[in-house]
Amino acid sequence: AVPAAEVQKVRELAKEAALAEGKPAAIVEKIAEGRVAAYLKEKVLMEQEHARADVYGKKTVRDVLKEAGVTAVTDMVLMRVGG
């Protein structure tokens, strides 16, 4: 999980950037939430597009696991190829 403080920092920076761009104050919150969602999509494994798009299409890791009947991820292994 992404720490709440990190999410809050991203939200605040997004609000500041939107205001600096001259966006109306009424939509700054929506812009910030959109940027937070984009940030989390990049950082959270389950929300990322599966690496094998050639096999699974543009599905997220969560969607691929759900189709395979996986209800929870309890362990993860990082494998490196090469040196």
Side-chain angles (χ1 to χ4, degrees), residues 3 11 43-44 76 83:
R11 182 176 287 113
K43 296 290 181 187
V44 178
M76 190 170 108

Side-chain angles (χ1 to χ4, degrees), residues 6 11 18 21 23-24 29 41 47 65 75:
E6 188 173 334
R11 182 176 287 113
E21 292 169 3
K23 303 293 183 190
E29 191 66 37
K41 187 173 181 180
E47 301 303 324
L65 292 175
D75 293 310

